[in-house]
Amino acid sequence: MTPVKPKRVPRAIREQQMLDASVEVFARRGYHPAGVEEIAEIAGISKPMVYLYFGSKEELFVACIRREANRLMEMITQLVDPQDPPKEQLWSALRGFFSFVSDHSGAWIVLYRQARTQGGPSAREVDEMRRRTVELIAAMLSQAAGMRKPGEQAVTAAHALVGSCESLADWMLDTPGTSAETTAKRLMHFAWPGLEELMEATRAKRAKR
Amino acid sequence: MTPVKPKRVPRAIREQQMLDASVEVFARRGYHPAGVEEIAEIAGISKPMVYLYFGSKEELFVACIRREANRLMEMITQLVDPQDPPKEQLWSALRGFFSFVSDHSGAWIVLYRQARTQGGPSAREVDEMRRRTVELIAAMLSQAAGMRKPGEQAVTAAHALVGSCESLADWMLDTPGTSAETTAKRLMHFAWPGLEELMEATRAKRAKR
């Protein structure tokens, strides 16, 4: 019989526990005041262990951002069916996005309110996620309008949509009693008519050629 | 004959010169790396004089934000005629906003990219400007729909619109060769159809009562 080692946790799981604790502490305290000591305590490990795994507080922060950004992107990609009509795709994406923000408000605070303000590698990580999101939306709009490559109009509309998502995510978190579903619905009402007109105009222009 | 005092500059003008220099330096260097020495040099006065007028670097920064925020709000208020139809009002406001960002990119960088990220009094100053802007837009939309007080829908739409303005301002500054006029036009195409539907739906609901 081999002896029982109750405290042996696989590396991958331990890493996730540290990231969970980090997001919680960064979201509550802010990047600068957040202490690695508190993060270690919540994760149930020693402070040197955190440094062993992540190197520095900044690298730990960047790792948090990367995980949360990927999580958000993957979730939305899974929810959106490219076979659906564009309106359904947008609705699935918006509902998914606001649910994520509502369910993981700490992650959103770290991603949006903190990372972008730190500059350096963490801001670059978020900018990259934002860039990919804008590209995805612009591609979806262009495809729906029968174009192979996103036009300038689609890119601008995608930037506008991402900006309104960010603004409403903040508003939702600051407005108690507002559900993700309601927020997504209202943004749908605001954004869909303009996007639909843009796609129709593009289609009509192409048909004329 | 009284002797000529060539260096005597009235306090109000000197203050504006210091603020001009500050916005320029803060925008170029960022808040933390910006030095009061360089600001004093550009304004053509001594460093102790800057402290005498503004107290500290933080207070100088807050004074910059207050001036630029007020300048932006005043300019837009002057451009928008409340007697115009809502579509004209929005168009005037958007064109004014993107022209301001284009003509005073330093001011926008300080207001949007730096102040919000500093926290404390400077972030509060910008939040206050944002709050006033959302209120103004929500009031305009509600009035156009025949309501005396802005409803929840109008407030949400105003938040979404402000977010898309911020996002497109950033995009415009990052995209060489894009004019304020073009950016305003594209945002108009994106946002107006949804806003118009919202106002019509509100009017129809009121008429049914």
Side-chain angles (χ1 to χ4, degrees):
Chain A
M1 242 175 75
T2 46
V4 183
K5 288 183 192 162
K7 284 200 171 171
R8 184 88 184 125
V9 178
R11 187 184 168 100
I13 291 177
R14 179 140 280 170
E15 262 181 23
Q16 294 307 313
Q17 289 170 339
M18 281 188 250
L19 290 175
D20 288 340
S22 305
V23 169
E24 186 190 326
V25 174
F26 283 131
R28 195 172 55 221
R29 304 230 184 264
Y31 176 72
H32 285 295
V36 173
E37 196 139 333
E38 191 183 0
I39 292 170
E41 210 185 295
I42 292 177
I45 57 162
S46 71
K47 198 171 152 184
M49 185 83 118
V50 178
Y51 285 112
L52 190 72
Y53 270 66
F54 290 98
S56 66
K57 186 169 118 177
E58 193 183 23
E59 287 170 273
L60 180 60
F61 190 59
V62 172
C64 287
I65 290 160
R66 191 169 297 148
R67 188 186 68 168
E68 298 305 335
N70 284 335
R71 199 188 252 185
L72 173 58
M73 294 293 285
E74 272 166 28
M75 200 202 60
I76 292 183
T77 315
Q78 274 176 6
L79 285 172
V80 175
D81 184 347
Q83 306 301 323
D84 275 349
K87 193 174 182 180
E88 303 307 314
Q89 289 188 45
L90 183 64
W91 170 241
S92 306
L94 291 183
R95 198 168 44 173
F97 169 71
F98 289 110
S99 300
F100 177 90
V101 173
S102 175
D103 296 344
H104 306 91
S105 60
W108 178 251
I109 288 168
V110 168
L111 276 174
Y112 181 68
R113 297 193 193 173
Q114 293 174 7
R116 293 176 78 188
T117 72
Q118 285 309 317
S122 57
R124 276 198 294 279
E125 201 72 43
V126 175
D127 284 348
E128 176 55 24
M129 173 189 75
R130 209 176 181 278
R131 202 190 51 71
R132 278 193 289 155
T133 311
V134 168
E135 251 177 26
L136 262 173
I137 297 171
M140 187 201 86
L141 292 172
S142 309
Q143 218 175 19
M147 290 174 79
R148 241 174 298 154
K149 267 176 66 185
E152 274 284 293
Q153 298 257 17
V155 173
T156 322
H159 272 283
L161 183 64
V162 167
S164 53
C165 282
E166 290 167 341
S167 181
L168 282 190
D170 252 25
W171 171 79
M172 181 180 73
L173 293 184
D174 288 342
T175 313
T178 314
S179 73
E181 185 92 4
T182 304
T183 312
K185 243 183 226 164
R186 294 220 184 129
L187 183 49
M188 199 70 197
H189 283 308
F190 170 73
W192 178 251
L195 293 174
E196 196 176 25
E197 274 191 18
L198 167 66
M199 288 184 287
E200 272 167 19
T202 311
R203 250 183 260 120
K205 223 190 265 171
R206 285 175 57 80
K208 262 198 196 159
R209 279 193 209 147
Chain B
M1 243 174 76
T2 46
V4 183
K5 289 181 191 165
K7 284 199 171 172
R8 184 90 183 123
V9 178
R11 187 184 170 100
I13 291 178
R14 181 141 277 170
E15 261 180 26
Q16 294 306 314
Q17 289 169 341
M18 282 188 247
L19 291 175
D20 287 340
S22 306
V23 169
E24 187 190 324
V25 174
F26 283 131
R28 195 172 55 222
R29 305 230 183 264
Y31 176 71
H32 285 295
V36 173
E37 196 138 332
E38 191 183 359
I39 291 170
E41 209 184 296
I42 292 177
I45 56 161
S46 71
K47 198 170 151 186
M49 185 82 118
V50 178
Y51 285 112
L52 190 72
Y53 270 66
F54 290 100
S56 66
K57 186 169 120 177
E58 193 184 24
E59 286 169 274
L60 180 60
F61 189 60
V62 172
C64 287
I65 291 160
R66 190 168 298 148
R67 188 187 68 167
E68 299 305 336
N70 284 336
R71 199 188 250 186
L72 173 59
M73 294 292 285
E74 271 166 29
M75 201 203 59
I76 293 183
T77 314
Q78 273 176 6
L79 286 172
V80 175
D81 183 348
Q83 305 301 323
D84 274 348
K87 193 174 182 180
E88 303 308 314
Q89 289 187 44
L90 183 64
W91 170 242
S92 307
L94 291 183
R95 198 168 43 173
F97 170 71
F98 288 111
S99 301
F100 177 90
V101 174
S102 176
D103 297 343
H104 308 90
S105 60
W108 178 252
I109 289 168
V110 168
L111 276 175
Y112 180 68
R113 298 193 191 172
Q114 293 174 6
R116 294 176 79 187
T117 72
Q118 285 309 318
S122 56
R124 276 197 295 279
E125 201 72 42
V126 175
D127 284 349
E128 176 56 23
M129 173 190 74
R130 210 176 181 279
R131 202 190 51 71
R132 277 193 290 155
T133 311
V134 168
E135 251 176 28
L136 260 173
I137 298 170
M140 187 202 86
L141 293 173
S142 310
Q143 218 175 17
M147 290 174 79
R148 240 174 299 155
K149 267 176 65 185
E152 274 283 293
Q153 298 257 18
V155 173
T156 322
H159 272 283
L161 183 64
V162 167
S164 53
C165 282
E166 289 166 342
S167 181
L168 282 190
D170 253 24
W171 170 80
M172 181 179 73
L173 293 184
D174 289 341
T175 313
T178 314
S179 72
E181 185 93 4
T182 304
T183 312
K185 245 183 225 162
R186 295 221 184 128
L187 184 49
M188 199 69 198
H189 283 309
F190 170 74
W192 178 250
L195 293 174
E196 196 176 25
E197 274 191 19
L198 167 65
M199 287 185 286
E200 272 166 21
T202 312
R203 251 184 260 122
K205 222 190 265 171
R206 284 176 56 81
K208 262 197 195 159
R209 279 195 208 144

